[in-house]
Amino acid sequence: MSISYQQWQQHIDAWQQTKLTQAQYCRSHQIDQSQFSDWKRKVLEASNTNTVSSQFTIAQVEMQHTTSSLSVTLPSGLVV
């Protein structure tokens, strides 16, 4: 019997809601533990990839003729 990605995802989600070990969950659902481990890694990696977002912002550079010091003005107005 072939289990789809969505079915594996449902199994992983269901297992995370229990206090069972991975082995106990697999035995109770008649799932091969090594396949469960492989799919758990795939499902969790995919979910982590989908939640990552970029935190970049646009920087504005102004050239000033002063002594050799550097300051950064943050969007809140704070100068570092």
Side-chain angles (χ1 to χ4, degrees):
M1 176 176 94
S2 178
I3 300 177
S4 71
Y5 179 89
Q6 287 181 329
Q7 289 171 313
W8 279 114
Q9 190 170 25
Q10 290 170 349
H11 273 298
I12 303 304
D13 292 343
W15 166 70
Q16 288 179 321
Q17 299 301 316
T18 71
K19 294 189 180 201
L20 297 175
T21 66
Q22 187 173 303
Q24 291 169 327
Y25 183 87
C26 289
R27 276 194 299 274
S28 67
H29 289 85
Q30 299 171 342
I31 299 172
D32 180 84
Q33 190 174 346
S34 63
Q35 285 184 332
F36 184 91
S37 293
D38 290 342
W39 278 100
K40 179 181 75 168
R41 180 183 46 79
K42 291 175 189 177
V43 167
L44 295 179
E45 282 177 359
S47 68
N48 288 339
T49 301
N50 293 335
T51 59
V52 174
S53 64
S54 173
Q55 298 296 317
F56 290 105
T57 189
I58 296 173
Q60 190 172 25
V61 178
E62 293 180 20
M63 299 299 290
Q64 295 181 358
H65 298 288
T66 62
T67 60
S68 60
S69 65
L70 175 68
S71 67
V72 176
T73 304
L74 301 176
S76 64
L78 178 68
V79 178
V80 180

